[in-house]
Amino acid sequence: MKALVMFDSVHGNTEQTARAVAAVLGRMFSVQAVSAEKMAKKELRDVDLLVVGGPTHRHRRSRRLAAVFASMPRKALHGIQVAAFDTRYRMPAWFAGSAAGEIGRKLRKLGTRLILPPESFFVARDIPPKGSKRRHNLERMEPGELEWAGAWAAEVGKASAIVKAGNP
């Protein structure tokens, strides 16, 4: 079985998370991690599992992910199992937004259903010196989040096997 992990990343945190997910899925699937920029050229024909992740920007998914989704015809993902994640600050989703929820809704509109609920992984906020702007390029994943991403990926792989076996 083939899996594809598609991600968008600005400062590297979502890419790091996507690669952690891909590493664990690689134990169960032939897997490839692809940035949203390169996704337009990627065929989904032989993909059994698609995992999509992106940063939460202004309470939503990124523009690059939105562009990839906009380029896909309706029902383009019919028959493909999917999962969604985002990276964001640790605060309530109703306050900060969650790209994962929006990604999940868009994936369903493209003809599929999520095999697990969308998941968030957290980025530690930069605390700049007084009077300075936040330095997003210095922000990194919170301790333990990449390990959690790997554990979540293992659950995605298990859920995929259950769905594939016809026991949803």
Side-chain angles (χ1 to χ4, degrees), residues 75 77-82 107-114:
K75 305 294 181 190
L77 300 178
H78 183 73
I80 298 176
Q81 298 175 46
V82 296
L107 290 169
R108 284 191 297 274
K109 285 183 180 178
L110 289 169
T112 189
R113 69 179 182 91
L114 296 170

Side-chain angles (χ1 to χ4, degrees), residues 89-91 123-140 142:
Y89 297 128
R90 187 179 294 276
M91 56 182 66
V123 177
R125 292 179 80 136
D126 174 53
I127 301 173
K130 191 171 183 170
S132 298
K133 292 184 177 183
R134 193 167 346 133
R135 301 159 298 184
H136 294 288
N137 60 320
L138 297 180
E139 296 176 333
R140 298 292 175 251
E142 286 185 0

Side-chain angles (χ1 to χ4, degrees), residues 56-113:
T56 300
H57 284 172
R58 292 180 169 81
H59 301 268
R60 305 186 59 146
R61 68 183 186 260
S62 67
R63 288 182 184 169
R64 278 187 281 224
L65 283 180
V68 169
F69 290 145
S71 72
M72 292 180 176
R74 193 164 179 81
K75 305 294 181 190
L77 300 178
H78 183 73
I80 298 176
Q81 298 175 46
V82 296
F85 73 90
D86 67 16
T87 54
R88 62 183 181 88
Y89 297 128
R90 187 179 294 276
M91 56 182 66
W94 62 264
F95 183 72
S98 170
E102 192 175 328
I103 291 167
R105 286 187 293 279
K106 186 59 182 174
L107 290 169
R108 284 191 297 274
K109 285 183 180 178
L110 289 169
T112 189
R113 69 179 182 91

